[in-house]
Amino acid sequence: MRSSVSVILSSPTPDTNMSHPDYDQNAHDHATLLVLVKQIGEEVTAKTYNKIYERIAKVTNLNIIDSIGFERNIKLKYVKDYLVGNNDWGDFQTHRRLFGLVTIGKCSTQVELNEVCRVHESLKVKYTSTLYDSRCIIIGVNDGPNTPSFPTPSNFKSRAIFCASDGELDVLDSEIIEFLSTLFWVLESKRHERCREKIDKVSLLLAPFERRDFVGLDMESRSNRKRSLGRMTKHLGDLCLQAGLTADALTHYQTASDILRSINDWLWLAGALEGQCAASAIIHYPNMCRSSPVKKNSSLPETQPRSSQDGRTSKDVDTCVSETKRVTNLLTPDDIIRYYREAIVHYSKYQNANVIETEACYKAAKLAIQQHAYLQAANFLHSVILINLALNEEEKIERLMSLSELYTKIGFQRKASFYRRLAATRFVSARNPQTNWQQCYNLMLQALSGHKLSLDPADHSPDKLEGWPGLQKQVLQDLVLAATRV
């Protein structure tokens, strides 16, 4: 115990805060393996990098037969950059862990090759706490298919994929599939290791900001032993969800929720509840990412593939019925929303979890949109504004635009235009080092329709007034000001 305390106290204080939220997340992201695709050096053009990235990112699902002959569906997610601050939250939610690294470099000499290899190894060190495997795509130094012209340096411990040029990438597809399969098998071995741990030997998992809170406490007390067990059970649920075992994940999440609730471990209880929501959403809404915008108070056409009030298509319902026969602890669509609401309330108790709370609000709102519960979605979106986040001007613009987009999807046109106007003002804020009046003007134009305004005289009738005159006057004044400054 003393040695553990001394290690904690002697370690540097970590940055317990995450970066700005990922507004594109949805419930399905909880089941993904995260892979970073990074450019190395300036020799690789943006066009080449994007071409290779898009080719890799096409592999979003992978079907793998496990050791007992069961087919697993593994989901992948790719990012172009990832901060270590987000990676540090991987114990709390494993989908935040960076599992794979793919770098792309271009060189023509031995010296340049050595530099590409050095940078790749330095990136591995940066994410060493969670990284399972990596690949380095090297363009320009090979004598044949995946045959290098120069040897890699002795300190290069990764596997390289050599391509003659960015137009000869045939070898890439099979290599990436093999790499992604490796990530699964490493994850599966980690999951088995966790499952084999004895109950009395389970270590206490911590969120980054909790690290010093448990120094000097009796970890053998009844409550702390239950805390360790509950958190590890929730962690196992995360691993099962990523490994394609959704039914097992639901069982672990339910067990963890019962344990954590009994000791008032609110943060990790919220994580378990959110995990249960994500696993249930994956079963109920396997195609949730393909949702499309709808109009407020409009009746859906008869050709719309909808067969239930909760937004599931007939195919989704059939899939869910078959899954329910072999899955226990599956939440109903209404329960998913209720559990999300409870999780968000618990997240709000922790200032250091404000990014996770924000992302949970977005995920819950998108799920409510999928269920056609637009007022529920609006309530979740309203909660986002109440969360205090330390954001720069660019990040504030991103948040406002994401809110505007979701309000548009649920048919709240004036609310969407309101946030679009706020985003426009941020482009010319005194705190913004890169003032952009053109962007401000463009967004002001886009906000007109939500305020019942149009620049086309044919749309106006002298006998009919629409909208809110005082607000419309202010909007037009802002538009004129932006136009004069462009």
Side-chain angles (χ1 to χ4, degrees):
M1 179 65 189
R2 288 183 179 179
S3 61
S4 299
V5 172
S6 63
V7 168
I8 292 175
L9 291 177
S10 61
S11 301
T13 302
D15 181 7
T16 59
N17 293 316
M18 298 176 66
S19 65
H20 65 91
D22 179 3
Y23 302 110
D24 293 329
Q25 277 202 22
N26 59 58
H28 284 229
D29 284 346
H30 284 253
T32 59
L33 308 186
L34 189 61
V35 178
L36 172 63
V37 182
K38 188 78 172 176
Q39 174 181 339
I40 294 180
E42 299 179 356
E43 297 297 324
V44 179
T45 64
K47 181 179 179 180
T48 298
Y49 169 73
N50 289 329
K51 178 181 179 181
I52 297 177
Y53 179 88
E54 290 171 3
R55 185 159 185 162
I56 295 173
K58 287 180 179 179
V59 186
T60 56
N61 288 274
L62 204 60
N63 292 324
I64 298 177
I65 305 299
D66 64 13
S67 57
I68 60 173
F70 183 75
E71 185 178 68
R72 311 272 191 92
N73 180 254
I74 308 303
K75 298 178 174 60
L76 290 308
K77 181 180 178 180
Y78 305 91
V79 292
K80 296 183 178 181
D81 195 18
Y82 202 63
L83 298 179
V84 176
N86 290 358
N87 202 41
D88 291 341
W89 283 78
D91 281 346
F92 179 69
Q93 291 179 325
T94 57
H95 73 280
R96 301 184 185 278
R97 288 180 172 180
L98 187 68
F99 284 166
L101 170 66
V102 178
T103 58
I104 305 170
K106 187 174 184 178
C107 51
S108 56
T109 66
Q110 180 71 64
V111 174
E112 293 175 349
L113 174 60
N114 293 345
E115 179 62 15
V116 168
C117 294
R118 184 193 67 79
V119 175
H120 177 87
E121 290 297 319
S122 66
L123 283 173
K124 284 175 56 180
V125 172
K126 184 177 180 180
Y127 301 105
T128 187
S129 61
T130 62
L131 202 62
Y132 286 172
D133 201 1
S134 67
R135 293 291 185 273
C136 183
I137 301 173
I138 302 175
I139 302 172
V141 287
N142 64 320
D143 296 327
N146 210 17
T147 304
S149 306
F150 308 105
T152 56
S154 58
N155 60 350
F156 182 67
K157 306 300 182 182
S158 305
R159 182 167 170 178
I161 304 173
F162 292 94
C163 302
S165 67
D166 57 2
E168 301 179 22
L169 302 173
D170 295 338
V171 69
L172 191 59
D173 296 338
S174 58
E175 290 282 353
I176 292 299
I177 294 295
E178 188 273 337
F179 163 65
L180 298 175
S181 299
T182 301
L183 296 183
F184 163 75
W185 288 112
V186 176
L187 171 67
E188 183 69 358
S189 66
K190 298 286 186 183
R191 187 182 69 84
H192 281 292
E193 288 177 9
R194 291 296 193 185
C195 289
R196 288 194 296 265
E197 287 187 358
K198 296 182 179 179
I199 295 179
D200 57 341
K201 300 295 183 181
V202 170
S203 58
L204 178 64
L205 297 174
L206 300 171
F209 70 90
E210 296 179 311
R211 196 172 178 190
R212 293 180 180 271
D213 294 346
F214 290 89
V215 174
L217 298 183
D218 180 14
M219 302 310 298
E220 298 302 320
S221 66
R222 180 181 178 85
S223 62
N224 280 331
R225 289 178 66 179
K226 290 182 70 174
R227 190 188 310 275
S228 298
L229 179 60
R231 292 185 176 192
M232 183 57 70
T233 305
K234 184 266 179 193
H235 182 71
L236 274 173
D238 289 345
L239 295 178
C240 288
L241 191 59
Q242 289 181 295
L245 300 172
T246 309
D248 291 348
L250 282 166
T251 301
H252 286 304
Y253 286 136
Q254 182 60 56
T255 303
S257 297
D258 295 338
I259 297 173
L260 296 169
R261 194 185 299 276
S262 68
I263 57 173
N264 297 335
D265 192 352
W266 303 123
L267 178 68
W268 287 75
L269 170 61
L273 293 173
E274 188 181 1
Q276 201 168 356
C277 292
S280 299
I282 289 172
I283 294 176
H284 283 294
Y285 308 101
N287 301 314
M288 189 177 69
C289 301
R290 301 173 188 171
S291 60
S292 57
V294 296
K295 293 183 178 180
K296 183 179 179 182
N297 297 330
S298 62
S299 58
L300 296 174
E302 295 182 0
T303 56
Q304 179 96 1
R306 176 184 172 188
S307 61
S308 62
Q309 293 183 350
D310 54 30
R312 290 179 290 173
T313 64
S314 56
K315 182 178 179 181
D316 289 347
V317 173
D318 293 340
T319 302
C320 184
V321 169
S322 63
E323 288 280 353
T324 305
K325 294 178 181 178
R326 62 183 182 85
V327 175
T328 57
N329 302 309
L330 180 66
L331 301 180
T332 65
D334 289 339
D335 283 341
I336 295 176
I337 296 298
R338 183 167 59 85
Y339 275 46
Y340 256 124
R341 188 178 294 108
E342 182 183 353
I344 291 168
V345 169
H346 293 320
Y347 281 143
S348 67
K349 300 173 183 176
Y350 300 87
Q351 183 178 2
N352 290 296
N354 49 16
V355 171
I356 293 180
E357 180 189 356
T358 300
E359 292 180 349
C361 289
Y362 272 87
K363 285 179 273 192
K366 292 174 183 177
L367 199 58
I369 292 173
Q370 183 71 27
Q371 296 180 2
H372 308 297
Y374 305 130
L375 290 180
Q376 296 275 17
N379 288 334
F380 285 123
L381 294 177
H382 178 70
S383 300
V384 172
I385 297 300
L386 305 178
I387 301 173
N388 184 25
L389 292 173
L391 303 175
N392 59 36
E393 293 302 306
E394 182 179 353
E395 292 164 350
K396 289 177 181 178
I397 292 171
E398 184 182 1
R399 179 170 74 156
L400 293 170
M401 291 301 296
S402 65
L403 286 170
S404 176
E405 179 183 348
L406 289 177
Y407 273 118
T408 300
K409 285 186 176 182
I410 63 177
F412 285 38
Q413 301 300 338
R414 190 177 73 162
K415 185 76 77 171
S417 295
F418 169 74
Y419 285 113
R420 203 169 291 271
R421 280 181 59 215
L422 284 183
T425 61
R426 291 295 177 184
F427 273 109
V428 294
S429 168
R431 297 181 180 179
N432 193 336
Q434 298 178 337
T435 302
N436 192 329
W437 281 100
Q438 183 63 56
Q439 283 284 7
C440 175
Y441 175 72
N442 292 339
L443 290 179
M444 287 292 183
L445 277 179
Q446 296 172 22
L448 291 179
S449 59
H451 295 94
K452 305 294 185 182
L453 287 171
S454 174
L455 298 182
D456 187 354
D459 295 335
H460 294 275
S461 173
D463 301 327
K464 183 179 180 182
L465 295 177
E466 285 188 317
W468 313 267
L471 180 59
Q472 291 173 333
K473 180 179 179 181
Q474 182 62 50
V475 170
L476 290 174
Q477 287 176 346
D478 293 341
L479 178 64
V480 171
L481 175 61
T484 58
R485 299 296 295 272
V486 172

